[in-house]
C-alpha cells in the first residue's frame, strides 16, 4: 500500500521523533502510527520495535489528552474500547452473507466446472483460487473512508454488531482511502483468524493461569467475537483476511476503480486500501484440470502456512460471468469450496495415566487406541485437569472425537455418549500422588491438584529435565532419558549435581563413549555462561515463562537482587500481575532456593545480567553519539549495534545524550559534552565492552 518514497518518509519521521519525542504534529503522528500498524499487521514487515511503537503511541495519547476534541474516529487510540459499549445489536447485512457449496474430490470439481461452463456458455473458465481461512466470518461496512460497523454472520441475513471487538484487530484499518478510489460506501467480507503461533502462545498463557486451553484456532477466533470486554479480544492477538466486496456505492460524480471487474482485481483493490487480502496466497488458473492439481499441491503444503485453512475456495474470476451465473438461496453458483481431508478421528479412550510435573501438578493423560490423524499416529493426549474431564464428561471406554489442527497439539474435542454401551467408567482423580503417595492438595480457585512433597522423585527429576531443556540452560546432549538414567545411578540427585557429575561412572555404559562424555562436559561448561534470563527460567518459578524471565532479568544486576523486591515492586514490571509477583516473591524468600542459587554461583554459573540482555534490547531508552574516528568498528556498524539493542543515535550533544563515544581526534562535541555532567564519555573500547556487558554501567 505504501510506496518506497512514503516508506522512507515515514522511516525518517519515526527516527526524528524517537530522537526528539515532542516535536511532532498530531496528524503526522496518527499517519505514522497507522503506517507502522500496516507494516506490522498487514504487510508483515515491521520496521520498528514494539518499544518504539509504544513511544509513538504514548505521545499520541499525551497529545489527545490535552484536547479531547482532537480525537478522530480513526485515531489508533480509538481501538481501545470499554466493556460498556458492547451492544451486540442485530443489524441487517446490505447483501446476505451466503455460504459456499462444498466439494471433497476431483469429481465434485469437474461437476462444478461443467455446470459453470454451461451457465457461462464458455468452453473454459478462468478461476481465482485462494485459501479457505478457518476462522469466523465477519462483514465490515465503511462509509466516507471510515469503518462504521462490523458484524458477525448471524443467520446470513442479519448479524450482531461487534464493532468494538473488531477494532481490536490491528490488521483491520479504522479508515481507508475509499473516496480517493471513487467509492463512498463499501461492504466487505472476511474471516477473523488466530495464527498458529498466537494460538499456542495464548494457550500457554491459559496454562500458566491454570485455565483449560482452547481446542483450536477456529474456536479461539469465533469465541472472541462476542466477548464482553474488548480488552480481552485485544489479548488474543487476532488477525483478519478480507476476501470479498459484497457491495459498493460510487462517490457522487466518481467512477470507481476499474479493478472492480474481476475477483482478483477486487483483491488487489482491497490490498491497496490497506487490508490483508489474499495476494501472494491467491492464484489465477485457467481450466479445472490445473485447478485440481493446484488443490492437491496446496493440501500437501497446508502445514507450512502460519495459520489454519480448511480448504481452498475456487471462484470464477470475471464479475460479469459471476452475475450471469447468479446464486441459490444458499450459495453462489460461481464459487465452490474444496475441503481438505478432516484432521479429526474417532477412537477409544482406553486408560488414564496421572503424571506429576515439576511443580507437583498432577495431569491426567488419556491413553487412546492409536489412531492416525493428518499423517500422525496419536495414542496419548493431555486432559489438563479434573475440570476438563468433568466438563467434557469423558469416561473410560468412551468413543471420543479427537482433532489435530495443523502443527498444533492434538485435543479431545468431545466424547460421543450415544455410542456408550453401559460399561464405561467414570474417571476418578487420585487422592494421593501416584509417585510418592503424598496427599494431593488443591488451592481454592485452582483447577489443579498438586503434590507438595519436596521429596517427590517425579518432581525432582522433572525439575532437572526443565533446567537443562532447550529454552532453559540448553545443555545439549542431555536428554530426558539420560537424566532418568543418571538419577537411577545415584549420580544426579539435585540440580547442582549437574556441574559436579562424576562422569567416569558412566563411561562404558550404553551410549556413553569418550566422545559423548566430552560433548556432555563441553555442553555443561557452555551452559555456565548462559544469560541470566535463562537461569531465571530454568529455576522453574511458578508462572515464570521465558518472557517473564526476560522481563525480570532486565530489571536486575545480580539474580539475588530479586530478594530485595516486594510484591508491589515486582508488579510494576511489565506483564507481571499479582499472581506472578507473589510466586516470584515467595520463591526468593525460601532459603532452600537461595541456597540452590548460591551453590550454582559457587559452581561458576553466571548470575549477572550479561550480553543477551543487549541483544534483547538492553540499550532501550539510551541515547548515543559517536565522535572522532573509530579504529575498530565502522561508524555505521557501531550505530547499527546501538539501534539493534533498542538505543538511539542523536544528531548532536544535548542533555538528552547518555553516552558520547569518543574516537581519535575528537573535537567540539567532546568539549561540549564535558560541560554536561549527565553525559558519560566513553572510549571505543568501553563501547565494545558496553555492548557486551551492559550491566557494568
Ligand atoms: S467467499 C459469496 N472466500 O467459508 C461469497 N469464503 O463455508 C462467500 N471462507 O461463510 C464467501 N475463506 O466464512 C469466501 N477465501 C474465502 C473464504 C471464505 C473462508 C468462509 C466464509 C464462508 C464459509 C463458507
Amino acid at each position: 500500500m505504501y510506496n518506497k518514497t512514503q516508506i522512507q518518509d515515514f522511516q525518517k519521521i519515526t527516527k526524528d521523533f524517537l530522537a526528539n519525542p515532542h516535536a511532532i504534529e498530531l496528524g503526522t503522528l496518527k499517519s505514522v502510527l497507522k503506517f507502522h500498524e500496516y507494516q506490522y499487521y498487514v504487510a508483515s514487515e515491521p520496521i520498528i520495535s514494539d518499544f518504539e511503537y509504544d513511544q509513538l503511541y504514548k505521545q499520541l495519547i499525551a497529545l489527545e489528552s490535552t484536547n479531547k476534541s482532537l480525537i478522530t474516529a480513526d485515531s489508533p487510540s480509538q481501538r481501545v474500547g470499554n466493556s460498556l459499549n458492547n451492544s451486540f445489536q442485530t443489524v441487517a447485512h446490505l447483501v446476505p452473507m451466503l455460504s459456499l457449496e462444498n466439494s471433497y474430490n476431483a469429481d465434485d470439481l469437474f461437476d462444478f466446472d461443467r455446470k459453470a461452463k454451461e451457465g457461462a456458455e464458455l468452453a473454459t473458465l478462468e478461476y481465482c483460487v485462494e485459501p479457505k481461512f478457518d476462522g469466523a466470518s465477519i462483514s465490515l461496512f465503511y462509509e466516507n473512508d471510515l469503518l462504521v460497523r462490523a458484524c458477525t454472520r448471524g443467520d446470513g441475513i442479519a448479524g450482531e454488531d461487534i464493532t468494538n471487538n473488531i477494532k481490536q484487530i490491528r490488521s483491520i484499518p479504522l479508515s481507508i482511502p475509499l473516496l480517493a478510489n471513487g467509492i463512498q460506501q463499501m461492504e466487505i467480507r472476511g474471516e477473523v483468524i488466530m495464527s498458529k503461533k498466537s494460538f499456542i502462545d495464548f494457550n500457554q498463557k491459559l496454562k500458566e493461569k491454570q485455565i483449560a486451553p482452547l481446542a483450536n484456532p477456529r474456536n479461539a477466533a469465533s469465541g472472541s467475537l462476542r466477548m464482553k470486554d474488548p480488552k480481552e479480544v485485544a489479548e488474543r492477538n487476532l488477525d483478519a483476511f478480507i476476501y470479498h466486496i459484497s457491495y459498493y456505492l460510487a462517490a457522487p460524480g466518481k467512477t470507481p476503480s476499474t479493478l472492480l471487474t474481476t475477483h482478483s482485481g477486487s483483491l488487489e483493490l482491497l490490498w491497496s486500501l490497506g487490508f490483508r487480502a489474499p495476494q501472494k496466497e491467491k492464484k489465477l488458473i485457467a481450466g479445472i484440470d490445473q485447478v485440481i492439481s493446484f488443490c492437491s499441491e496446496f493440501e500437501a503444503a497446508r502445514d507450512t502456512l502460519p495459520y489454519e485453512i480448511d480448504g481452498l475456495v475456487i471462484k470464477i474470476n470475471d464479475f460479469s460471468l459471476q452475475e450471469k451465473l447468479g446464486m441459490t438461496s444458499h450459495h453462489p453458483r460461481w464459487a465452490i469450496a474444496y475441503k481438505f481431508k478432516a484432521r479429526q478421528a474417532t477412537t477409544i479412550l482406553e486408560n488414564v495415566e496421572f503424571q506429576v510435573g515439576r511443580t507437583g501438578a498432577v495431569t491426567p493423560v488419556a491413553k487412546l487406541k492409536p489412531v492416525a490423524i493428518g499423517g500422525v499416529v496419536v495414542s496419548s493426549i493431555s486432559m489438563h485437569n479434573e475440570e476438563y474431564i468433568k466438563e467434557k464428561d469423558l469416561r473410560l471406554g468412551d468413543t471420543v472425537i479427537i482433532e489435530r489442527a495443523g502443527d498444533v497439539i492434538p485435543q479431545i474435542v468431545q466424547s460421543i455418549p450415544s455410542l456408550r454401551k453401559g460399561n464405561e467408567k467414570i474417571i476418578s482423580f487420585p487422592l494421593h500422588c501416584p509417585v510418592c503417595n503424598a496427599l494431593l492438595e488443591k488451592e481454592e480457585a485452582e483447577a489443579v491438584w498438586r503434590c507438595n512433597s519436596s521429596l517427590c522423585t517425579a518432581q525432582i527429576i522433572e525439575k532437572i529435565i526443565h533446567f537443562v531443556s532447550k529454552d532453559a540452560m540448553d545443555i545439549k546432549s542431555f536428554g530426558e532419558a539420560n537424566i532418568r538414567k543418571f538419577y537411577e545411578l545415584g549420580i544426579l540427585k539435585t540440580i547442582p549435581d549437574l556441574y559436579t557429575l562424576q562422569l567416569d561412572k558412566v563411561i562404558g555404559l550404553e551410549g556413553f563413549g569418550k566422545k559423548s562424555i566430552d560433548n556432555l562436559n563441553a555442553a555443561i561448561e557452555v551452559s555456565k555462561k548462559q544469560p541470566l534470563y535463562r537461569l531465571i527460567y530454568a529455576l522453574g518459578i511458578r508462572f515464570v515463562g521465558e518472557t517473564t524471565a526476560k522481563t525480570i532479568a532486565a530489571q536486575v544486576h545480580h539474580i539475588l537482587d530479586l530478594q530485595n523486591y516486594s510484591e508491589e515492586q515486582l508488579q510494576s514490571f511489565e506483564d507481571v500481575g499479582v499472581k506472578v509477583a507473589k510466586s516470584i516473591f515467595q520463591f526468593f524468600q525460601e532459603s532452600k532456593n537461595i541456597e540452590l542459587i548460591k551453590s550454582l554461583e559457587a559452581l561458576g554459573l553466571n548470575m549477572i545480567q550479561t550480553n543477551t540482555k543487549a541483544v534483547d534490547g538492553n540499550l532501550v531508552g539510551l541515547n548515543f553519539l559517536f565522535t572522532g574516528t573509530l579504529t575498530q568498528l565502522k561508524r555505521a556498524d557501531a550505530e547499527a549495534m546501538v539501534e539493534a539493542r533498542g538505543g538511539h543515535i542523536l544528531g548532536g550533544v544535548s542533555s538528552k545524550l547518555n553516552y558520547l563515544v569518543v574516537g581519535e581526534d575528537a573535537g567540539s562535541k567532546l568539549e561540549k559534552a564535558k560541560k554536561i555532567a549527565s553525559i558519560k564519555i566513553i572510549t571505543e573500547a568501553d563501547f565494545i565492552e558496553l555492548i557486551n556487558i551492559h550491566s557494568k554501567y
Side-chain angles (χ1 to χ4, degrees):
M1 172 167 137
Y2 293 94
N3 62 34
K4 233 180 173 165
T5 327
Q6 287 170 313
I7 295 179
Q8 280 168 358
D9 286 351
F10 279 122
Q11 268 176 321
K12 184 168 183 325
I13 300 172
T14 307
K15 210 171 166 195
D16 291 349
F17 166 78
L18 292 168
N20 185 10
H22 298 287
I24 192 159
E25 184 263 325
L26 183 60
T28 314
L29 182 55
K30 279 195 277 199
S31 21
V32 172
L33 278 160
K34 198 172 163 188
F35 163 76
H36 288 302
E37 282 186 348
Y38 176 86
Q39 288 299 123
Y40 190 97
Y41 294 102
V42 180
S44 301
E45 284 169 3
I47 52 174
I48 52 170
S49 66
D50 291 356
F51 173 80
E52 288 167 324
Y53 179 88
D54 289 346
Q55 299 305 104
L56 289 160
Y57 189 81
K58 276 183 194 151
Q59 180 66 13
L60 172 75
I61 303 297
L63 286 179
E64 287 183 341
S65 66
T66 60
N67 184 350
K68 295 261 186 295
S69 69
L70 297 175
I71 304 175
T72 54
D74 67 334
S75 166
S77 65
Q78 297 310 292
R79 289 196 186 273
V80 187
N82 69 55
S83 48
L84 301 175
N85 46 21
N86 258 343
S87 62
F88 300 137
Q89 267 164 13
T90 307
V91 185
H93 301 303
L94 293 181
V95 173
M97 273 179 99
L98 295 185
S99 199
L100 288 168
E101 187 184 1
N102 285 330
S103 68
Y104 298 91
N105 50 44
D107 283 347
D108 295 345
L109 289 176
F110 281 129
D111 248 15
F112 164 75
D113 180 59
R114 186 179 42 76
K115 282 189 233 151
K117 283 189 300 203
E118 269 170 29
E121 296 173 292
L122 284 172
T124 173
L125 290 170
E126 185 189 40
Y127 293 108
C128 183
V129 185
E130 67 202 35
K132 185 168 185 308
F133 303 102
D134 199 6
S137 48
I138 49 161
S139 180
L140 306 175
F141 181 67
Y142 286 80
E143 186 170 28
N144 295 327
D145 290 358
L146 286 180
L147 170 65
V148 176
R149 201 168 41 248
C151 298
T152 60
R153 180 175 187 276
D155 61 3
I157 305 297
E160 283 178 301
D161 185 330
I162 50 163
T163 315
N164 287 313
N165 285 349
I166 289 301
K167 281 185 178 171
Q168 309 309 315
I169 302 173
R170 306 279 185 124
S171 49
I172 296 181
L174 300 181
S175 66
I176 49 173
L178 263 192
L179 293 166
N181 281 280
I183 301 171
Q184 190 177 359
Q185 291 183 341
M186 189 166 88
E187 188 190 54
I188 54 180
R189 305 277 155 80
E191 203 83 357
V192 170
I193 59 155
M194 190 185 255
S195 72
K196 290 177 190 167
K197 180 169 185 318
S198 298
F199 175 73
I200 292 167
D201 290 350
F202 188 70
N203 264 352
Q204 181 60 31
K205 279 193 200 159
L206 292 181
K207 194 173 166 196
E208 281 169 17
K209 290 183 198 156
Q210 281 150 17
I211 299 174
L214 299 169
N216 54 44
R218 178 188 50 243
N219 286 11
S222 61
S224 314
L225 299 187
R226 295 185 73 264
M227 289 188 107
K228 274 263 160 255
D229 186 354
K231 287 202 194 79
E232 275 190 55
V233 182
E235 277 170 25
R236 294 196 171 198
N237 213 355
L238 300 168
D239 212 326
F241 274 97
I242 305 297
Y243 46 68
H244 185 63
I245 301 179
S246 45
Y247 167 86
Y248 65 86
L249 176 71
K254 292 282 169 64
T255 318
S257 165
T258 49
L259 286 172
L260 288 165
T261 52
T262 60
H263 177 66
S264 60
S266 70
L267 293 181
E268 272 167 45
L269 176 66
L270 285 166
W271 177 263
S272 73
L273 289 170
F275 292 102
R276 196 167 179 201
Q279 273 296 92
K280 285 182 240 123
E281 300 87 352
K282 72 165 199 288
K283 196 168 163 77
L284 280 177
I285 304 175
I288 202 72
D289 293 330
Q290 305 294 332
V291 168
I292 292 168
S293 15
F294 181 73
C295 286
S296 31
E297 276 166 36
F298 212 103
E299 181 161 8
R302 88 193 261 199
D303 282 346
T304 60
L305 291 176
Y307 46 82
E308 276 298 321
I309 66 173
D310 59 341
L312 290 165
V313 186
I314 298 136
K315 299 172 178 175
I316 292 180
N317 196 37
D318 188 321
F319 277 170
S320 59
L321 292 178
Q322 287 192 1
E323 225 168 282
K324 193 165 176 184
L325 284 160
M327 43 194 82
T328 71
S329 61
H330 171 262
H331 61 258
R333 289 197 193 88
W334 44 261
I336 191 161
Y338 171 77
K339 299 272 275 188
F340 291 160
K341 275 160 216 76
R343 283 229 190 79
Q344 282 195 341
T346 53
T347 187
I348 307 292
L349 170 51
E350 291 181 329
N351 200 2
V352 181
E353 269 179 26
F354 293 91
Q355 292 181 354
V356 187
R358 70 185 154 85
T359 62
V362 178
T363 308
V365 178
K367 295 289 154 183
L368 306 159
K369 187 169 175 215
V371 62
I373 5 170
V376 175
V377 176
V378 178
S379 58
S380 158
I381 293 184
S382 168
M383 293 194 286
H384 308 289
N385 54 44
E386 190 182 19
E387 217 40 51
Y388 185 93
I389 297 174
K390 282 190 182 153
E391 248 172 44
K392 293 190 187 288
D393 185 25
L394 302 171
R395 301 186 194 176
L396 285 185
D398 261 354
T399 303
V400 289
I401 300 177
I402 62 171
E403 182 175 271
R404 196 176 73 94
D407 46 13
V408 176
I409 302 152
Q411 297 277 345
I412 297 182
V413 182
Q414 62 172 97
S415 64
I416 311 179
S418 59
L419 294 182
R420 282 185 185 145
K421 297 189 187 79
N423 56 354
E424 292 74 18
K425 287 202 199 86
I426 303 269
I427 299 168
S428 46
F429 226 80
L431 295 173
H432 294 93
C433 173
V435 177
C436 74
N437 212 30
L439 198 64
L440 297 183
E441 294 170 44
K442 183 154 86 165
E443 278 172 40
E444 223 179 292
E446 264 212 2
V448 173
W449 284 100
R450 223 170 265 285
C451 165
N452 286 323
S453 163
S454 56
L455 302 174
C456 178
T457 325
Q459 290 176 58
I460 296 169
I461 295 177
E462 291 300 329
K463 280 191 174 107
I464 302 176
I465 291 172
H466 172 73
F467 190 87
V468 306
S469 67
K470 193 165 167 291
D471 293 334
M473 300 305 273
D474 191 22
I475 307 188
K476 294 198 174 65
S477 56
F478 216 149
E480 207 176 309
N482 285 343
I483 291 172
R484 291 188 194 281
K485 196 183 278 175
F486 287 14
Y487 188 88
E488 273 154 30
L489 284 171
I491 58 168
L492 177 59
K493 291 278 183 197
T494 65
I495 289 172
D497 288 350
L498 284 166
Y499 295 92
T500 55
L501 275 178
Q502 293 169 299
L503 288 172
D504 50 329
K505 292 210 175 139
V506 296
I507 284 202
L509 287 182
E510 200 194 328
F512 286 98
K514 172 146 181 9
K515 190 148 185 272
S516 57
I517 298 279
D518 286 348
N519 286 345
L520 192 52
N521 262 329
I524 291 170
E525 233 12 73
V526 168
S527 80
K528 292 182 181 171
K529 302 200 170 48
Q530 287 288 18
L532 184 59
Y533 81 85
R534 282 182 171 267
L535 176 67
I536 294 178
Y537 175 62
L539 289 171
I541 308 166
R542 260 178 86 193
F543 310 124
V544 176
E546 215 185 323
T547 318
T548 314
K550 281 186 183 165
T551 309
I552 306 171
Q555 303 289 334
V556 296
H557 173 66
H558 188 284
I559 187 170
L560 288 179
D561 294 349
L562 285 163
Q563 278 182 290
N564 307 323
Y565 281 84
S566 68
E567 282 185 52
E568 288 72 29
Q569 283 169 323
L570 290 166
Q571 276 178 47
S572 69
F573 299 173
E574 207 182 316
D575 278 343
V576 176
V578 179
K579 206 160 153 182
V580 183
K582 189 169 177 201
S583 166
I584 301 170
F585 179 78
Q586 281 174 350
F587 184 92
F588 284 94
Q589 294 309 306
E590 269 192 50
S591 56
K592 73 171 186 340
N593 294 332
I594 304 302
E595 274 160 31
L596 168 65
I597 292 171
K598 284 187 175 160
S599 51
L600 289 175
E601 184 168 30
L603 288 163
L605 270 75
N606 169 48
M607 299 283 147
I608 307 268
Q609 178 59 26
T610 55
N611 59 345
T612 307
K613 185 183 169 195
V615 176
D616 294 333
N618 72 333
L619 301 183
V620 164
L622 296 177
N623 295 324
F624 282 74
L625 183 64
F626 292 84
T627 185
T629 313
L630 301 184
T631 54
Q632 296 181 55
L633 297 167
K634 282 198 193 123
R635 168 83 64 102
D637 290 349
E639 290 182 348
M641 284 163 127
V642 170
E643 284 173 343
R645 288 158 176 79
H648 294 300
I649 306 298
L650 293 193
V653 175
S654 75
S655 59
K656 290 209 173 66
L657 187 63
N658 301 99
Y659 289 96
L660 181 74
V661 184
V662 184
E664 283 175 5
D665 304 322
S668 61
K669 285 187 181 137
L670 174 58
E671 293 317 310
K672 196 170 168 194
K674 280 182 181 165
K675 295 194 185 104
I676 306 175
S678 61
I679 299 178
K680 294 188 184 76
I681 298 170
I682 61 173
T683 63
E684 184 179 359
D686 291 334
F687 170 74
I688 293 169
E689 202 176 339
L690 170 69
I691 287 287
N692 289 325
I693 315 168
H694 175 69
S695 56
K696 272 184 89 173
Y697 291 84

